[in-house]
Amino acid sequence: MPRTLLLVICDFLLLSLLALVRFDQVESSQAGSGGGDETVALQQSVGVETDLMEILQLSLELEEASRGSVEEELRETREELQERERLLAEREENIARLAQEMAQREETLQERDQAIAERDQSLEEIQSTLQRTEEQLSQEARRATEGLERAERLEERLEERMQEERRLRDSLGETRQIADVREEQLRQAQAELEEKLSALAQTETLLAEMEDRQRSMEEESRELAERLNLTEREKQLIEENLEAARSEVSIVRQEKERIHEQATELARGVGALAEQSEELAREIRSTRRSDPISPNRIFRNYQESRLETSFSAFREAVLFSGDRERDTSTVKVTDGQRVYTLLHINDVPMSFRDSGPHWRNFQGTISRGGENYSPEQILFSDADPRILLAQVEFAESERLGGRIYALAEDPFAFDDAVIVSSDGEAYGEVAMVLDPEHPNYVKVDRREIRFLRGDFSPSTGDLVFSRRDELIGIMVNRNYCLVLENFLHSSSIPLGGQASSEEIFEAVSAASRQLRNVPGAVRN
């Protein structure tokens, strides 16, 4: 029991005893009678003890009740202490976590400070770049102003040319009246030409027979040469064994003389035959070039000699990788030394706009009548890099068959020409206009087109033929035709999958740089 509670109980008991004791009654009773004092005192002590027991019982009950309340308070205090300890542990964990987060935030702030420093540096670089860009823009603005001035001067020159064109149109009306008169004469000449053509066919047949005879004579000449070689070897053997075979040497010499005589006669015959062949060829060429040929006949010759080309390459890309193919029609043409086929850059898979290092396995095939030929390489023309050349060996050209066109000796002998679409399905007559600023090109007057088969608009890759059935050139865009004079070339791409991606990229890039030298009106 706590000492404080015991003192309180003792004080309470003492006060209770003092309150119950009546000193006046004790004194009076002592004074009244002496015999009954002990009895009264005994009764009072018994009553006091009873009250004291009750008080003690009550104090015990109070003490038990207070002890229960104290234990309850102690239990609650322990629970509260445990709760505070738990909260304190959580608070310490939160403090540790906050400290870690603070450290991370400090690192993040440091990184942000570094990023801000880098951003400030990049902003300074961007500002310097913007200054340089502004200077370049000012220079380009000056150039644009100069270009506008040149454009104004060109417009003035264009107006002068339009006036000249009007005068030419007026004169064209008069010329057409004269042409109507000459058309009747042309019909009569056409009948005479048909007779000449029939005679020419007979001459060509005769020429073919003579060529067969020439080949047979060449074979005989080769046989004689072989026999001559054998004779020379026999002569060497005979000279080594001269003492044993003098009679045989005389016989061999006689045979050698006869062989020389035969070879001399044969050479004379071959020379005469060659002269006759050249005369016939000149006669045929002069006959062919004497009068213009009708567009229908030109297109028929094209149909009989056309070649089909197919080119493919593999393009590697992030999306839609695979083979790219291009097909078109063309003809064989020669400069007198080699045979080529003509193509436009649009007739192959790659282009100047898509010339990245992602092309490989470049293949090409030329076919006609079931015969196929795979050229070794594709060449970029020096005259215009958009025009491609594929050389065809003479033996392969004979195997493919068809006509070999010659380049036009006088492309401007006639005011009109025959244009054939790149797919070989349409053709028509078109007027040609000379452009002094672009002497290597001729402009096609799109307003003066007379369609003979199909309705088409001239576009890149179309072939242009003269009225003498010679090849003038190929359309480089919708308005201009390149007049071919030679087959000079600088860059090339091997075919048959032999070219690497880097070789294709370098060749196309070099041709693209060369294209920048082409005048803008012809280049676009």
Side-chain angles (χ1 to χ4, degrees):
M1 181 182 295
R3 184 177 298 177
T4 305
L5 183 60
L6 184 60
L7 291 173
V8 171
I9 293 171
C10 290
D11 291 337
F12 178 74
L13 292 176
L14 182 57
L15 290 175
S16 300
L17 290 175
L18 291 175
L20 294 175
V21 174
R22 299 188 66 178
F23 296 100
D24 56 347
Q25 292 180 0
V26 174
E27 292 177 354
S28 62
S29 62
Q30 288 177 359
S33 61
D37 291 339
E38 294 180 1
T39 304
V40 174
L42 180 62
Q43 290 177 353
Q44 290 178 353
S45 62
V46 172
V48 171
E49 291 178 359
T50 302
D51 294 334
L52 183 60
M53 289 299 294
E54 292 177 357
I55 292 170
L56 291 174
Q57 183 69 31
L58 179 61
S59 64
L60 289 173
E61 292 177 358
L62 291 173
E63 183 181 357
E64 290 177 357
S66 63
R67 181 180 294 177
S69 62
V70 168
E71 290 177 355
E72 183 67 22
E73 291 176 0
L74 181 60
R75 184 179 59 78
E76 293 176 356
T77 303
R78 289 177 179 173
E79 292 178 355
E80 185 178 357
L81 182 59
Q82 292 176 356
E83 182 68 19
R84 288 182 180 179
E85 290 177 352
R86 184 181 62 79
L87 294 174
L88 182 60
E90 292 180 354
R91 188 174 296 173
E92 290 177 354
E93 292 178 358
N94 293 332
I95 291 171
R97 187 173 62 255
L98 290 173
Q100 186 177 1
E101 291 179 356
M102 288 295 292
Q104 293 178 354
R105 288 182 181 177
E106 289 179 358
E107 293 178 359
T108 305
L109 289 174
Q110 292 177 358
E111 292 177 356
R112 288 183 180 176
D113 293 338
Q114 185 178 358
I116 290 171
E118 293 176 356
R119 188 176 300 172
D120 293 337
Q121 184 178 359
S122 63
L123 285 174
E124 292 176 357
E125 294 177 357
I126 290 171
Q127 288 177 355
S128 62
T129 305
L130 286 175
Q131 291 177 358
R132 291 194 298 271
T133 305
E134 289 177 356
E135 294 176 356
Q136 293 177 359
L137 288 175
S138 62
Q139 294 177 0
E140 290 180 359
R142 289 195 297 270
R143 293 174 184 172
T145 304
E146 295 175 357
L148 290 175
E149 294 176 355
R150 289 197 299 269
E152 291 176 356
R153 292 194 296 270
L154 289 174
E155 287 180 357
E156 293 176 357
R157 295 174 64 183
L158 179 61
E159 183 65 26
E160 294 176 356
R161 289 184 181 178
M162 291 179 66
Q163 293 177 359
E164 185 179 357
E165 185 179 356
R166 295 191 189 97
R167 291 193 297 270
L168 290 174
R169 286 183 180 177
D170 296 336
S171 62
L172 180 62
E174 299 176 357
T175 306
R176 285 182 176 175
Q177 292 178 358
I178 299 172
D180 293 337
V181 176
R182 291 183 178 178
E183 187 175 359
E184 182 64 26
Q185 298 176 356
L186 182 61
R187 293 193 186 93
Q188 297 176 0
Q190 189 73 25
E192 296 177 358
L193 177 61
E194 291 178 355
E195 294 178 357
K196 290 181 180 181
L197 288 175
S198 61
L200 178 61
Q202 295 176 359
T203 305
E204 289 178 349
T205 304
L206 180 60
L207 178 61
E209 293 177 354
M210 294 182 69
E211 289 177 352
D212 293 337
R213 289 178 58 190
Q214 181 180 359
R215 283 194 289 272
S216 62
M217 293 177 70
E218 289 176 353
E219 291 177 357
E220 292 178 359
S221 177
R222 285 194 296 270
E223 291 178 357
L224 289 174
E226 291 176 357
R227 291 178 61 186
L228 182 61
N229 292 330
L230 292 173
T231 304
E232 290 291 339
R233 288 194 295 271
E234 290 176 358
K235 179 181 177 181
Q236 293 175 0
L237 295 173
I238 291 170
E239 288 178 354
E240 293 176 357
N241 302 299
L242 183 61
E243 296 299 331
R246 289 182 179 273
S247 59
E248 294 180 1
V249 170
S250 61
I251 295 172
V252 170
R253 287 178 179 176
Q254 294 175 1
E255 290 180 356
K256 182 178 178 182
E257 291 176 358
R258 287 196 299 271
I259 289 171
H260 278 298
E261 291 176 358
Q262 293 177 359
T264 303
E265 294 177 358
L266 181 61
R268 291 175 182 173
V270 171
L273 182 60
E275 291 178 357
Q276 293 177 0
S277 300
E278 291 178 358
E279 291 178 359
L280 285 174
R282 285 195 296 270
E283 183 179 354
I284 291 171
R285 286 195 295 270
S286 62
T287 303
R288 287 180 176 176
R289 294 175 182 174
S290 60
D291 297 313
I293 300 175
S294 66
N296 294 332
R297 181 62 180 270
I298 293 174
F299 182 70
R300 181 182 176 184
N301 293 338
Y302 169 83
Q303 288 287 338
E304 292 175 351
S305 303
R306 65 184 285 186
L307 304 173
E308 302 297 332
T309 64
S310 178
F311 289 86
S312 65
F314 183 83
R315 185 179 187 274
E316 186 174 355
V318 178
L319 297 175
F320 306 112
S321 296
D323 291 327
R324 304 290 192 273
E325 295 183 358
R326 293 288 187 277
D327 299 328
T328 189
S329 299
T330 186
V331 294
K332 294 181 293 184
V333 61
T334 182
D335 57 354
Q337 297 179 353
R338 294 179 179 85
V339 179
Y340 296 92
T341 57
L342 291 180
L343 299 167
H344 193 272
I345 186 67
N346 294 342
D347 298 329
V348 297
M350 66 281 300
S351 64
F352 294 134
R353 295 180 179 178
D354 186 12
S355 62
H358 45 248
W359 292 98
R360 55 186 174 86
N361 196 23
F362 193 13
Q363 306 279 350
T365 303
I366 301 173
S367 59
R368 179 181 179 274
E371 298 290 339
N372 297 324
Y373 170 66
S374 298
E376 295 181 356
Q377 58 183 349
I378 200 79
L379 311 171
F380 290 89
S381 174
D382 283 347
D384 193 310
R386 290 171 291 184
I387 305 306
L388 307 179
L389 308 171
Q391 184 177 350
V392 181
E393 301 295 336
F394 284 104
E396 297 295 335
S397 175
E398 293 181 359
R399 185 171 62 85
L400 291 173
R403 178 181 178 182
I404 301 175
Y405 284 83
L407 295 177
E409 293 184 359
D410 188 3
F412 311 113
F414 301 93
D415 295 333
D416 58 346
V418 177
I419 184 169
V420 180
S421 62
S422 59
D423 59 1
E425 300 298 330
Y427 72 104
E429 286 184 288
V430 63
M432 297 189 303
V433 180
L434 297 178
D435 191 347
E437 294 184 358
H438 310 111
N440 296 330
Y441 300 85
V442 62
K443 189 173 183 180
V444 174
D445 192 350
R446 303 172 66 86
R447 298 169 298 180
E448 298 291 335
I449 298 178
R450 186 166 72 93
F451 299 106
L452 300 178
R453 179 181 178 183
D455 187 1
F456 71 101
S457 177
S459 60
T460 58
D462 295 346
L463 297 177
V464 180
F465 297 90
S466 69
R467 293 298 302 273
R468 291 173 177 168
D469 203 11
E470 298 171 327
L471 186 66
I472 295 177
I474 184 171
M475 297 292 292
V476 295
N477 56 22
R478 299 175 65 252
N479 298 313
Y480 284 91
C481 167
L482 174 66
V483 179
L484 288 170
E485 298 178 353
N486 54 60
F487 297 123
L488 299 177
H489 58 274
S490 55
S491 57
S492 63
I493 302 177
L495 297 177
Q498 299 179 4
S500 63
S501 300
E502 290 76 11
E503 291 176 339
I504 297 174
F505 175 70
E506 290 177 0
V508 179
S509 299
S512 178
R513 290 191 296 269
Q514 183 182 355
L515 182 62
R516 297 171 187 169
N517 299 326
V518 177
V522 181
R523 184 174 65 248
N524 299 327

